[in-house]
Amino acid sequence: MKNIFLFLAMTMMVTAKTHLLFYCGITMVPAIMDVKKRFEKTHHCTITLIQGGSKDLCKSIQATHQGDLFLPGKDSYIDQCGEAGYVLRQRTVGYNRLALFVPKGNPKQIKGLDDLLRPDLLTTLGNPETCSIGKAAKETLLRYGGTSFLDNVHRSLGLFSADSRDMNHLLLTGQADVGLNWIASLHALPQNDRIEVIPVFDLYSQPQTLVVAALQFSLHPKLAQAFVDYLASPYGKKIMQKYGFGHE
């Protein structure tokens, strides 16, 4: 009987997998789901994603001091964690870009950011208090037309979106005519042929650097750092490119 228990204990030690907790912004989830499958297999571990608006994820990290990895939609959230001493290692893995999203065929004939002031349009923007797309959209509108332009857009706003996925849902269900969203969010959308993209000039909509970080309070810091390097490797960047996250 003693030998049986010893065998079972040794078996559990061999088969047990190390677990990583990964805070991931909504838009990057499909790419990370792809990458993590191979990493889990080669490193004999499991990775659980906590997905949501980047600002909310950052607040969770600050409040709980738990988790191993963080990939927000804007690198400013990594900067916040770094300033607080939470970042063990970080690497750039790609870039996010903004564009105007409209229903296929562009029925309202939207041409650019000035159209966001039109009273006949239902406009949706990400909430800057919860998600990276909201913060980036706010910065873009300020660069384009200043505070007065941003205020006027907000006055004619239909709905704030919780995140990039929610914005696409509003467009697909007819609850919005136009949104300012991450181009890469189309890769997470099964009905992406029902949405049309109108580019925004880079002078106003600058590419947003994507940075992944291993967190200082990780229970498995070597493994967390290995994932950071893996995602920043040629293989990882190729997967990020596949899901719409370009490189400069």
Side-chain angles (χ1 to χ4, degrees), residues 67-111:
D68 303 276
L69 295 156
F70 183 31
L71 176 59
K74 279 179 63 67
D75 60 347
S76 59
Y77 296 110
I78 296 292
D79 292 339
Q80 289 180 36
C81 287
E83 290 168 2
Y86 299 159
V87 173
L88 184 64
R89 182 172 179 76
Q90 66 183 62
R91 297 284 298 275
T92 298
V93 295
Y95 294 85
N96 230 340
R97 292 179 180 272
L98 279 171
L100 289 168
F101 280 29
V102 297
K104 188 68 175 180
N106 193 6
K108 296 296 180 74
Q109 297 299 301
I110 295 163
K111 297 178 180 179

Side-chain angles (χ1 to χ4, degrees), residues 2-23:
K2 182 178 179 180
N3 290 337
I4 293 176
F5 283 124
L6 181 60
F7 172 77
L8 289 174
M10 292 179 66
T11 301
M12 290 176 66
M13 289 176 65
V14 171
T15 57
K17 292 184 177 181
T18 303
H19 179 251
L20 297 179
L21 192 62
F22 193 151
Y23 297 91

Side-chain angles (χ1 to χ4, degrees), residues 1-240:
M1 182 67 70
K2 182 178 179 180
N3 290 337
I4 293 176
F5 283 124
L6 181 60
F7 172 77
L8 289 174
M10 292 179 66
T11 301
M12 290 176 66
M13 289 176 65
V14 171
T15 57
K17 292 184 177 181
T18 303
H19 179 251
L20 297 179
L21 192 62
F22 193 151
Y23 297 91
C24 185
I26 287 291
T27 307
M28 288 72 68
V29 167
I32 297 305
M33 289 294 291
D34 197 335
V35 173
K36 86 181 189 76
K37 291 178 184 177
R38 184 170 172 180
F39 186 85
E40 287 173 332
K41 184 176 180 180
T42 57
H43 289 74
H44 194 67
C45 67
T46 59
I47 301 174
T48 298
L49 296 189
I50 297 179
Q51 52 182 289
S54 295
K55 188 169 184 178
D56 286 343
L57 295 176
C58 188
K59 287 180 178 179
S60 294
I61 292 170
Q62 293 169 337
T64 65
H65 291 188
Q66 294 179 359
D68 303 276
L69 295 156
F70 183 31
L71 176 59
K74 279 179 63 67
D75 60 347
S76 59
Y77 296 110
I78 296 292
D79 292 339
Q80 289 180 36
C81 287
E83 290 168 2
Y86 299 159
V87 173
L88 184 64
R89 182 172 179 76
Q90 66 183 62
R91 297 284 298 275
T92 298
V93 295
Y95 294 85
N96 230 340
R97 292 179 180 272
L98 279 171
L100 289 168
F101 280 29
V102 297
K104 188 68 175 180
N106 193 6
K108 296 296 180 74
Q109 297 299 301
I110 295 163
K111 297 178 180 179
L113 294 176
D114 284 333
D115 288 308
L116 299 181
L117 299 177
R118 284 169 47 184
D120 62 314
L121 295 181
L122 290 173
T123 299
T124 179
L125 297 174
N127 189 338
E129 298 303 317
T130 62
C131 59
S132 63
I133 184 58
K135 185 175 181 181
K138 180 179 179 180
E139 292 170 355
T140 296
L141 296 176
L142 282 171
R143 278 194 295 267
Y144 180 74
T147 303
S148 61
F149 182 81
L150 176 66
D151 290 343
N152 287 332
V153 170
H154 282 171
R155 288 191 191 99
S156 60
L157 190 66
L159 292 167
F160 267 130
S161 301
D163 48 52
S164 59
R165 184 164 53 194
D166 182 43
M167 188 181 304
N168 287 332
H169 172 74
L170 294 175
L171 287 167
L172 289 173
T173 56
Q175 299 178 69
D177 299 311
V178 59
L180 193 55
N181 208 349
W182 296 126
I183 293 177
S185 70
L186 284 178
H187 291 265
L189 193 64
Q191 311 98 324
N192 57 18
D193 60 337
R194 293 173 53 196
I195 286 182
E196 194 168 313
V197 171
I198 302 171
V200 176
F201 187 40
D202 278 354
L203 176 63
Y204 309 110
S205 176
Q206 299 170 352
Q208 302 294 317
T209 306
L210 287 178
V211 175
V212 63
L215 299 176
Q216 185 70 43
F217 30 77
S218 171
L219 298 178
H220 310 284
K222 290 184 178 179
L223 188 62
Q225 290 179 84
F227 185 90
V228 167
D229 291 337
Y230 190 73
L231 191 59
S233 71
Y235 168 79
K237 288 183 176 180
K238 183 178 179 181
I239 297 298
M240 295 297 285

